[in-house]
Amino acid sequence: MSRHTIICHRCGKSTIVDLSKTISDQQCRACRGFLHGVEVAKEPTTSERKRKFVYRTIRGGEEPEWHDQDAPVIAVRQRWPLFFTLAVVVGSTVYFSLIGFGALRKWKTSSVGDFKDYGQLVTDNSDVRLSPEWRDKATDLAKKALAAQTIEELLPLLFHPEVPDNIIRNYYSTREKLPLGKDLEEDYYVPPAVMTENAVAFWFEDSGQRKRSFVVVEKPTAMLIDWPSLVGFGEMPLDEYIKSMPPQTVVMRARASIGQYYNDYFANTKAWLSLRLSDVTDDHVIHGYVSRENPIHQLIESVFPDQMRDKVPRMDEAVIIVLRQPTGNTKGDQTEIVSLESRTWYEPNGLNPIIKHIRDLEKIKAGEKPREEKSPGEEPPENLLPPTPGPRPKSPSDPAPAPGPGSA
C-alpha cells in the first residue's frame, strides 16, 4: 500500500491518502470532506507542518484565518442556520407551555383546585311540569276527574275539539260508566321530548280493573284532560267500523301490535304485514294490513310489540292510523292500513287537521282541487300517552289463526 501525505484543499490540514485507490473517493481526516484536485506531496517535516497553521488573531473568540488556500475556511458552527436554532427554542417553549397549561387546568377543575369559570350567567330553564306548584295543580285536576260521578261534573274538565258534548254524553250512557276509575298514580309521566305545550300522562285503574291513562294538558284558558285520547276516539268507534265497512278512508285511534293472522284477501304474507288493532278496552279487535311496498312497514315491523318474537311481553302501541276497505275484501274483521299518522293518541288540535289532510289527498288523487283553508295544524308530539300496560287477554272476537302449511 502506497501512503502519502497531502494537504486538504478544504481545511488546509494534512491528511494521509492511499495512492492505490482513487483519491477523489477518499476523505480528509480532519474535515471529512472528499479530496478533489489535490496534489500528492511527501510527508511534511515538523517545521513545515507548523508553518501550515499560520493564523492571525485580532480579538479573543474570533475564528482563525487560513492563508495557505484560495478560499477561507468556514467553521461548522457558523454554517448552522439561525432559524434552526429559533425553531428548536420556540418549539420547546410551546411544548412545555402546553404541558404546564394542561396540568394547571386539570388541577383547577379538580376538587382540590375548587375552580369556577366566570362568564355570562345562564338562566335555569327547568321544566315547569316538575315544579311543585304545577304538579299539585295537575294532580288535583286528575283526582277531580276520577271522582266525577256525573257527566255534568266531568264535561268542564275535558278538552275535546273534534267531539261535541252529545257524543261524550252518549258514550258514557252506552259504553262506559262514571266514575272513570280509581287508584290514581300521582307520579305522572313526562315525555322526554320538547313539546309546544305542557302535557303529562296519569295512570289509573278503570272500572274493569284495567290500567289506563289520560293526558292532562295546560291550555291558555285552563288545565284540562284530553278526552279523545282517554277513550281512543276516532272518526267512528272500532266496532262500528267493523260492522259498516265504509268504502272511504277513516282516521282511527287504536292499540296496535304485530299480528300473525293472514287469510282471505290478505293471505299473502310476502305482500302484507299484519297488525292486531283493538280499542281502548280491548273488547273489539280487527286486523289491519300494511302493504310491504309501503315504507312504514319497516318501522312497524322493527318497533311495534310482537308476542311471537318478544321474550318479554310489551305494551301495545297507541297509534293514529288511516284505514280503508280495499275493493274485493268481504271480511269485516280485515282492513288495509293506508298510513301511520302518529304513535300517540294525543293531538294538540284533535283529529280535524289530519282528517282534512287525508280528504285533500283523496281529492287530489281523484283530480279535484281541494279547498284552500288554513288549518292550525301542528307537528305531532312525541309518544305522550303510554300504551295500556300488562298482558293482553285474548279477545273472543279474535279470528281463528290461519291454517298452517300443508293443511287442507
Side-chain angles (χ1 to χ4, degrees):
M1 181 176 61
S2 178
R3 300 180 63 185
H4 291 271
T5 301
I6 64 173
I7 303 300
C8 177
H9 71 288
R10 293 178 178 273
C11 62
K13 297 181 181 180
S14 61
T15 182
I16 299 175
V17 297
D18 187 359
L19 296 180
S20 62
K21 299 180 182 179
T22 304
I23 296 178
S24 60
D25 294 338
Q26 301 180 49
Q27 292 176 309
C28 176
R29 295 187 178 184
C31 65
R32 305 304 299 172
F34 286 96
L35 304 174
H36 299 284
V38 299
E39 296 181 357
V40 180
K42 296 181 179 179
E43 180 72 23
T45 61
T46 305
S47 59
E48 291 176 347
R49 186 183 297 114
K50 289 182 179 180
R51 291 179 63 184
K52 298 300 180 181
F53 294 94
V54 178
Y55 62 91
R56 177 172 55 89
T57 302
I58 301 177
R59 288 187 301 269
E62 287 191 356
E63 293 296 330
E65 298 179 4
W66 306 101
H67 299 281
D68 56 348
Q69 56 187 353
D70 298 332
V73 177
I74 301 176
V76 175
R77 59 177 175 272
Q78 291 183 344
R79 290 184 297 183
W80 182 266
L82 180 60
F83 72 89
F84 285 165
T85 305
L86 293 177
V88 172
V89 174
V90 173
S92 301
T93 304
V94 172
Y95 175 74
F96 289 109
S97 298
L98 291 176
I99 293 178
F101 178 78
L104 179 62
R105 186 69 180 178
K106 185 177 181 180
W107 175 80
K108 285 184 176 181
T109 54
S110 64
S111 58
V112 179
D114 194 20
F115 177 78
K116 295 182 180 179
D117 286 321
Y118 294 93
Q120 181 67 33
L121 179 63
V122 180
T123 58
D124 183 17
N125 296 326
S126 58
D127 196 338
V128 68
R129 294 171 293 183
L130 303 179
S131 63
E133 296 79 9
W134 202 95
R135 183 180 294 274
D136 293 341
K137 188 177 179 181
T139 305
D140 292 342
L141 175 64
K143 290 180 179 180
K144 188 176 180 180
L146 287 185
Q149 299 292 329
T150 63
I151 190 63
E152 303 302 329
E153 298 178 12
L154 183 62
L155 273 177
L157 310 178
L158 301 180
F159 173 72
H160 48 97
E162 76 267 38
V163 182
D165 292 352
N166 60 336
I167 297 294
I168 301 178
R169 297 177 188 275
N170 181 65
Y171 182 87
Y172 286 108
S173 62
T174 58
R175 296 179 179 272
E176 292 190 57
K177 301 296 182 182
L178 292 177
L180 296 178
K182 58 181 181 178
D183 297 337
L184 178 71
E185 294 185 10
E186 299 185 8
D187 189 12
Y188 51 68
Y189 171 76
V190 179
V194 178
M195 302 185 66
T196 57
E197 54 188 358
N198 297 323
V200 295
F202 281 91
W203 294 101
F204 71 98
E205 187 177 291
D206 65 1
S207 58
Q209 297 183 348
R210 296 177 292 255
K211 199 169 185 179
R212 290 167 59 180
S213 60
F214 58 80
V215 173
V216 173
V217 56
E218 186 177 20
K219 294 295 181 180
T221 56
M223 191 175 289
L224 300 172
I225 294 175
D226 184 65
W227 186 80
S229 62
L230 167 64
V231 298
F233 195 87
E235 277 196 271
M236 64 173 61
L238 188 61
D239 57 341
E240 182 179 338
Y241 180 85
I242 297 174
K243 294 177 182 178
S244 61
M245 295 181 63
Q248 74 276 10
T249 57
V250 179
V251 181
M252 300 286 292
R253 285 183 173 95
R255 293 168 48 189
S257 62
I258 302 296
Q260 282 77 37
Y261 180 72
Y262 295 89
N263 210 343
D264 299 318
Y265 186 87
F266 303 97
N268 188 358
T269 59
K270 294 182 179 179
W272 303 96
L273 173 65
S274 174
L275 275 182
R276 183 186 186 275
L277 306 176
S278 64
D279 57 8
V280 67
T281 59
D282 205 32
D283 293 332
H284 302 93
V285 178
I286 186 175
H287 281 81
Y289 297 85
V290 182
S291 173
R292 294 193 181 271
E293 296 180 357
N294 193 331
I296 64 170
H297 92 276
Q298 299 176 353
L299 171 67
I300 294 175
E301 197 168 16
S302 60
V303 175
F304 281 32
D306 186 349
Q307 289 185 342
M308 299 296 293
R309 179 186 59 192
D310 298 338
K311 296 181 180 179
V312 179
R314 290 189 293 160
M315 300 177 290
D316 290 348
E317 286 278 339
V319 296
I320 298 177
I321 53 178
V322 180
L323 303 180
R324 177 181 61 194
Q325 292 289 351
T327 305
N329 180 37
T330 59
K331 297 291 183 178
D333 57 358
Q334 294 179 314
T335 187
E336 181 182 357
I337 300 175
V338 178
S339 64
L340 172 65
E341 297 296 325
S342 177
R343 291 176 59 191
T344 175
W345 280 354
Y346 173 67
E347 285 293 327
N349 298 298
L351 295 183
N352 289 332
I354 300 178
I355 295 173
K356 180 183 180 302
H357 176 68
I358 297 299
R359 298 293 180 264
D360 290 344
L361 289 179
E362 291 178 347
K363 291 180 180 180
I364 293 174
K365 291 180 180 179
E368 302 177 12
K369 185 177 180 181
R371 293 181 300 174
E372 295 183 357
E373 297 180 1
K374 293 186 178 180
S375 171
E378 299 180 6
E379 293 293 329
E382 294 294 329
N383 196 354
L384 172 65
L385 188 65
T388 306
R392 182 185 63 217
K394 184 177 180 181
S395 174
S397 59
D398 282 351
S407 58

